[in-house]
Structures are given as structure tokens and as C-alpha cells.
């Protein structure tokens, strides 16, 4: 307002001062109202804000006489002055403050109505959320109550029935989860200007839990169905295999008797016929090898599930009988081969067999070496363990062949006279008969010793590799479990951190309460330091033992350590910010005085509590 006008109309100064004071108060009130945010879904927070809004509305109404007095004073001034500029300024200011008043009042009323609607919607959502969490709890309890084994046909049928019933209940309970989601979406949509983090976080947790439960139920149902088919088919396959074993045993017994006949060496045609029959028997054995291993593995699975029951004892007897018959059949077959080979062709057959075995042993040793190094995470090492298990099965299958070949060589060298060896061995240059025989003996014995040495070496290599895999699996599983535990605890703390409102949005009288809560969180997360150290120590031990952690594990470790540091920094920063806010805006501060006078004047208070003005 021009100073010349104030000199001409002195009463305008008092009007202007009163107008400025009320205008500043309304502007401050409007800023405070616009900055106030509530936690959607928090009934206590919403109710507190409704009470504050009601009190603010009452304050506004209590100031109405001040507005009316200002309007009356303005009208009187307009009546008393003939200065057109002063009348225009007075009219303009009265219209502005009246509009400002109406806007603040409308904002208050609309906000109060919105908070009441938010309270109703949040109450409905919380009720739906509680119902959804209740059905989730029931589903978890049902899942946790299920016990593994025994896997008899009747027991599996009962478990399938229980699983299908739970799956049916889940389809009905999904209505509760859908209702909670729909109400949550309404809150997120209608009150996006307020703090919706609580609704978002709880909704995410509910949906994640629901998806996890459904996945567990579906996987369990599929596994039980597979187990049921296995239990039904296993006895039939076992009976069929045992029947074949009986027939094969009969054939092997006939061939074994034929190979032990006297003067068999002189009947080369008979030897060839027996060799042909043996090849047919050995072909059938090799064709049934996978069937045997599958029956043995499936039988062991069923046996573990029946542990402690009478059915387990009966099944164990049948499996032992199958394993014994299978082992005996293979031994007989190889024994037949040993006698036939020792009785028929010359030493070159044995020489070639030993050469083939040496090549096979070298290839297997190279294959085993390529399985190294030990993987850097649990799934990789588990896969390596599966590969090595198949490798060991191959060794187990080959062992009778190697033992039989070595035994055949021993028999050949023992039973063949020197003059027989002399005729079998052909040198390009003429050698004495005794030297020819000695060369044959020396060559076969040397190869036989090499096969035996390489076989023992391969088995030691395999056992050493298995030991490394077992140790790595144990340590990596421990690392994975420790990392999962730490991740869960960090997520819980981060969820609390994620629900923090900006310090500038907090009400002054709640600063101390928020400060205490953050300090309590700092105390709760302090033990996580031990979890972090434990995870890092486990990783260090693996590295020291020569295991290079995989990129996934390294990334997980880096993520956990980074999140732990960031969490600590966030907590300390939050405490510092709350301390500063409490110091600057709390009950002991003088911040409220700054808006009570018009610039360039400022108002303060002396140490003895006396207010004064400074320019």
C-alpha cells in the first residue's frame, strides 16, 4: 500500500495490519493443510488427523469474528473516505481475504469428508485383509501339518485326497484374497496423494504368500500323483524283472556247465557256438541294466518312505533278493566269458581286451578330470553330484568286466603250458621257444598290472572328487541358508524403513514418538551384524578351500552387505533428522514466532521468556 495513501488515510494502517495478520494466518493454515498426509490403512493415524481437522475447523470458526470485524472496518473506512484509490484497495483486499477464507474453509470441509471416507474404506480393507490373512494362516497350518511318509498306496491316496481338498478350499478362499486386493486397489487409487506404502506392502505380502501356497500345493499334488503311479507300477515291474532274472539264470547255468566240459579247447566249433550263446545272454543283461537301476532307485525311495513299517521289511527282502540275483547273474556271465576266451583264440584276444580297458580307463580319468573344478553355488554342485553319481554307476557296471578280464588273464597264464604259448606268439624274427613264451607272459602280465593300477587310481580319483563335492555341498548349503536368513531379516527391517514418512510431513507432536521407534529399530537390527559376519566368513572359508563362488553368489553377498550398510546409514540419518526437527520445531523451539509479525520485523524471545521484536 502506498505510503502517501497511508498518510492521507491514517486509519488504513490499522486495517492493513489486521488484514496482513489474518491473510498470513490463512496462508500458513492452507500450507499446513496441504502438507498434512496420513498413512492410508492406519485407523489411528486417520482418526488423529480427523480430530486435528475438527480442531482446525473450530479455530477457523473462532476467527470468523475477526474476519467480520475486518469487513465492518473496511466498510466504515470506505464510507469515511472519498479517496477512490483507497476505496478500490479496501474493496480488493476484502474480496481477496473473503475468497481466501472460503477456499481454506472448503479445503477443510472437503479434507474432513475425504478422511471420513478414507476411514470407512480403510476399515473395510483391514477387515478384508484380516480375513485374507486368516485363510492364509489356515492354508499354512494345513501344509505344515502334513507329514512325509509312510508312502503306502493307501497312505498316498489319503494324502492326494487331502491335497485335492486343500486345493478346492484354496479356490473358495481366493475370494477373500480378491476382495482384499480390490479394496486395496481402491485405496491406492482414491488416496494416492496420501501415504499408501502400508497398503502396498501388505498387499504385496499377501499376494506373495498366496502364490507360494498355491505353488506348494500344486507341486505336492503332482509329486503325490507320481508317487502313486510309481507305487502301482513298481510291484508289476519288479515281478516282471524277477521273472526275467529266473529265465536268465537258467540260461547262464546251462552255459556255465557247457564251458566246464573236458576237452572243450579241442572243439573250436563248439566254443564258437557257446560264445554266440553267451553274447546273446550278455546282450539281454545289458538291455536290462537300466531297468535294474531304475527298479533299485525307485525301490530305495519307497523303502525310505516306509521306514519302520512291516511293508519296509518285506520290500527290503525283495530288493536284496533282486540285487543278489542280478549280481550273481553278471558274475556267471563274466565267468563264462573268461572260460570261453581262455579256451578258444590265442593270447591276442586277451591282449586286445587289456588294451581296450586301458584306453577306457584313460578316457574315464580324463572325463572325471573335466568335471572339476567344484562349482560356486549349491545348484551347480548338486548337478555335478548327479553327474558323478551316474559316473560311479558306470564304474560299478564296468567293475565285473575288469575283474573278469584280469581273472581270465590269470587263468590263461596259469593253465597254458609254455609250448602252447610258444605256438601262439609269432615274432617277425626267429626266437627260441622259451623266449617267445616269456615275451607273451611278460606282455600280458604287464598289461594286466597296468589295468589293475589304473583301475585303483580311477577309483581313488572318484572317491576324492566325491569327498570334495560332499564338503562343498555342505558348506554351500550352509552359506545359502545363512544368506536366506539374513535376507529375510533385512527385508523385515527394510519394510519398516519403507513405511517411514518424510520428516517434513510429520506432525510436530509426534516427532518424539517417531524418534523412539527408530531408536528401537536400531537396537533390533544391531544383531544383524553377526549374521553379516557369519555369511562373509562362510564365503571366505569356501574361497580359502579353493571354491570360486559363482557370479550369483558373489552378487548375493555384495547385495546383502550393501543393504546392511545402507540400512545402518538410513537409520542413523533418520535419527539425526528427527533430532534436528525436534530441536527446531519441538516445544522448546521459537519457530512459531516467525510467522506472527510482518517483515522486515521478526519476533523472538529472550532467555527469561520475554518476547521482543528485531528488525
Amino acid at each position: 500500500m502506498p505510503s502517501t495513501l497511508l498518510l492521507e488515510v491514517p486509519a488504513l494502517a490499522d486495517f492493513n495490519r489486521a488484514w496482513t495478520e489474518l491473510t498470513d494466518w490463512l496462508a500458513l493454515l492452507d500450507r499446513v493443510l496441504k502438507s498434512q498426509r496420513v498413512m492410508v490403512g492406519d485407523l489411528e493415524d486417520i482418526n488423529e488427523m480427523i480430530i486435528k481437522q475438527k480442531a482446525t475447523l473450530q479455530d477457523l470458526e473462532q476467527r470468523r469474528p475477526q474476519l467480520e470485524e475486518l469487513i465492518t472496518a473496511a466498510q466504515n473506512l470506505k464510507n469515511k473516505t472519498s479517496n477512490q484509490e483507497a476505496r478500490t484497495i479496501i474493496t480488493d483486499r476484502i474480496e481477496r481475504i473473503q475468497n481466501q477464507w472460503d477456499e481454506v474453509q472448503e479445503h477443510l470441509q472437503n479434507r474432513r469428508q475425504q478422511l471420513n471416507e478414507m476411514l470407512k474404506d480403510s476399515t473395510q480393507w483391514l477387515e478384508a485383509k484380516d480375513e485374507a490373512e486368516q485363510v492364509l494362516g489356515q492354508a499354512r497350518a494345513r501344509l505344515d501339518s502334513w507329514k512325509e511318509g509312510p508312502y503306502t498306496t493307501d497312505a498316498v491316496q489319503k494324502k492326494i485326497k487331502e491335497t485335492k481338498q486343500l486345493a478346492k478350499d484354496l479356490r473358495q478362499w481366493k475370494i477373500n484374497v480378491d476382495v482384499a486386493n480390490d479394496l486395496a486397489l481402491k485405496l491406492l487409487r482414491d488416496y494416492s496423494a496420501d501415504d499408501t506404502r502400508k497398503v502396498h506392502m501388505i498387499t504385496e505380502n499377501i499376494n506373495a504368500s498366496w502364490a507360494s501356497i498355491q505353488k506348494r500345493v500344486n507341486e505336492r499334488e503332482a509329486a503325490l500323483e507320481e508317487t502313486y503311479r510309481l507305487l502301482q507300477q513298481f510291484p508289476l515291474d519288479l515281478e516282471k524283472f524277477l521273472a526275467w532274472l529266473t529265465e536268465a539264470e537258467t540260461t547262464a547255468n546251462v552255459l556255465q556247465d557247457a564251458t566246464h566240459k573236458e576237452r572243450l579247447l579241442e572243439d573250436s566249433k563248439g566254443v564258437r557256438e557257446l560264445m554266440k550263446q553267451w553274447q546273446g545272454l550278455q546282450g539281454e543283461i545289458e538291455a536290462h541294466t537300466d531297468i535294474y537301476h531304475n527298479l533299485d532307485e525307485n525301490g530305495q525311495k519307497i523303502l525310505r518312505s516306509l521306514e519302520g513299517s512291516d511293508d519296509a521289511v518285506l520290500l527290503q527282502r525283495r530288493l536284496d533278493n533282486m540285487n543278489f540275483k542280478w549280481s550273481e547273474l553278471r558274475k556267471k556271465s563274466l565267468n563264462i566269458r573268461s572260460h570261453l576266451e581262455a579256451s578258444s583264440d590265442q593270447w591276442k584276444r586277451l591282449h586286445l581286451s587289456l588294451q581296450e580297458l586301458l584306453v577306457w580307463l584313460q578316457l574315464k580319468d580324463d572325463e572325471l578330470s573335466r568335471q572339476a573344478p567344484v562349482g560356486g553355488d549349491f545348484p551347480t554342485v548338486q548337478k555335478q553330484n548327479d553327474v558323478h553319481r551316474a559316473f560311479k554307476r558306470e564304474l560299478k557296471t564296468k567293475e565285473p568286466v575288469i575283474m573278469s578280464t584280469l581273472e581270465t588273464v590269470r587263468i590263461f597264464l596259469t593253465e597254458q603250458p609254455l609250448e602252447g604259448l610258444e605256438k601262439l606268439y609269432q615274432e617277425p624274427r626267429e626266437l627260441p621257444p622259451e623266449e617267445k613264451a616269456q615275451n607273451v607272459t611278460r606282455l600280458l602280465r604287464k598289461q594286466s598290472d597296468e589295468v589293475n593300477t589304473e583301475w585303483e587310481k580311477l577309483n581313488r580319483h572318484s572317491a576324492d572328487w566325491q569327498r570334495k563335492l560332499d564338503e562343498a555341498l555342505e558348506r554351500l548349503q550352509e552359506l545359502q541358508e545363512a544368506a536366506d536368513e539374513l535376507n529375510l531379516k533385512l527385508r523385515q527391517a527394510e519394510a519398516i524403513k519403507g513405511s517411514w514418512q518424510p520428516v517434513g510431513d510429520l506432525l510436530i507432536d509426534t516427532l518424539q514418538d517417531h524418534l523412539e521407534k527408530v531408536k528401537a529399530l536400531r537396537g533390533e537390527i544391531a544383531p544383524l551384524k553377526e549374521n553379516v559376519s557369519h555369511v562373509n566368513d562362510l564365503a571366505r572359508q569356501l574361497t580359502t578351500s579353493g571354491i570360486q563362488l559363482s557370479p550369483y553368489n558373489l552378487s548375493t553377498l555384495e547385495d546383502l552387505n550393501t543393504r546392511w550398510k545402507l540400512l545402518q546409514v538410513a537409520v542413523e540419518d533418520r535419527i539425526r533428522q528427527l533430532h534436528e526437527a525436534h530441536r527446531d520445531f519441538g516445544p522448546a523451539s521459537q519457530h512459531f514466532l516467525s510467522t506472527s509479525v510482518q517483515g522486515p520485523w521478526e519476533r523472538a524471545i529472550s532467555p527469561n521468556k520475554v518476547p521482543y521484536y528485531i528488525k
Side-chain angles (χ1 to χ4, degrees), residues 78-323:
K78 286 173 66 177
N79 293 335
K80 290 179 181 179
T81 181
S82 59
N83 187 305
Q84 187 60 40
E85 183 182 0
R87 291 172 65 88
T88 302
I89 290 174
I90 291 170
T91 302
D92 176 65
R93 294 202 168 186
I94 287 301
E95 287 178 354
R96 283 166 58 189
I97 200 167
Q98 183 67 61
N99 290 336
Q100 188 179 7
W101 182 281
D102 291 341
E103 286 176 4
V104 171
Q105 187 177 43
E106 183 182 6
H107 188 181
L108 270 169
Q109 291 170 344
N110 290 342
R111 179 59 168 167
R112 186 178 179 184
Q113 181 181 355
Q114 184 190 46
L115 288 170
N116 285 324
E117 291 175 356
M118 185 192 296
L119 183 66
K120 182 186 69 174
D121 292 343
S122 294
T123 302
Q124 291 178 344
W125 171 71
L126 286 170
E127 291 173 354
K129 184 264 297 181
D130 289 342
E131 292 177 1
E133 289 179 340
Q134 183 180 1
V135 298
L136 285 171
Q138 292 176 6
R140 287 195 201 95
R142 293 264 288 278
L143 283 170
D144 294 340
S145 67
W146 288 344
K147 297 179 180 178
E148 299 297 328
Y151 282 90
T152 61
T153 304
D154 292 340
V156 172
Q157 280 184 311
K158 183 180 178 181
K159 291 177 188 295
I160 291 174
K161 185 177 179 182
E162 291 173 351
T163 307
K164 288 185 179 296
Q165 182 59 49
L166 178 56
K168 181 180 178 182
D169 292 340
L170 287 177
R171 288 192 290 271
Q172 295 176 345
W173 291 341
K174 192 174 188 301
I175 297 173
N176 300 84
V177 177
D178 290 341
V179 169
N181 280 331
D182 291 342
L183 292 173
L185 287 174
K186 186 178 188 302
L187 290 175
L188 296 171
R189 181 184 64 246
D190 294 351
Y191 309 111
S192 58
D194 284 280
D195 193 342
T196 58
R197 285 175 291 183
K198 177 180 179 180
V199 178
H200 186 73
M201 182 180 67
I202 291 177
T203 301
E204 273 192 346
N205 289 339
I206 287 175
N207 288 326
S209 298
W210 180 257
S212 174
I213 288 171
Q214 282 194 313
K215 183 172 180 287
R216 285 179 63 187
V217 171
N218 292 337
E219 288 176 349
R220 180 180 175 82
E221 186 174 355
L224 287 170
E225 294 282 3
E226 179 61 29
T227 301
Y228 183 69
R229 286 193 293 271
L230 174 63
L231 288 173
Q232 283 190 313
Q233 189 62 36
F234 180 77
L236 301 176
D237 292 341
L238 181 59
E239 287 298 329
K240 184 178 179 181
F241 184 74
L242 288 173
W244 171 83
L245 268 179
T246 301
E247 293 179 4
E249 280 179 331
T250 302
T251 302
N253 289 333
V254 171
L255 277 173
Q256 190 175 47
D257 291 341
T259 58
H260 284 80
K261 287 182 179 179
E262 294 183 6
R263 307 181 70 81
L264 179 64
L265 183 61
E266 298 176 4
D267 186 3
S268 58
K269 183 178 179 181
V271 170
R272 286 195 297 271
E273 180 61 30
L274 290 175
M275 181 63 77
K276 185 177 179 182
Q277 293 178 28
W278 171 82
Q279 288 171 347
L281 173 64
Q282 186 61 27
E284 285 196 39
I285 291 174
E286 290 173 359
H288 283 76
T289 299
D290 287 341
I291 298 174
Y292 162 74
H293 286 302
N294 288 333
L295 284 171
D296 187 44
E297 288 183 4
N298 291 334
Q300 295 301 326
K301 289 180 184 177
I302 298 172
L303 197 60
R304 285 192 294 271
S305 70
L306 297 174
E307 188 175 358
S309 65
D310 293 338
D311 290 338
V313 176
L314 295 174
L315 179 58
Q316 183 66 67
R317 289 175 183 169
R318 301 202 71 191
L319 289 175
D320 290 343
N321 181 46
M322 178 189 75
N323 290 328

Side-chain angles (χ1 to χ4, degrees), residues 332-343:
K332 284 181 181 179
S333 175
L334 294 172
N335 189 32
I336 292 168
R337 175 191 172 186
S338 299
H339 279 81
L340 288 175
E341 288 183 344
S343 304

Side-chain angles (χ1 to χ4, degrees), residues 231 254 349 371 420 509 522:
L231 288 173
V254 171
R349 179 188 292 275
Q371 292 182 23
D509 54 359
R522 180 170 62 180

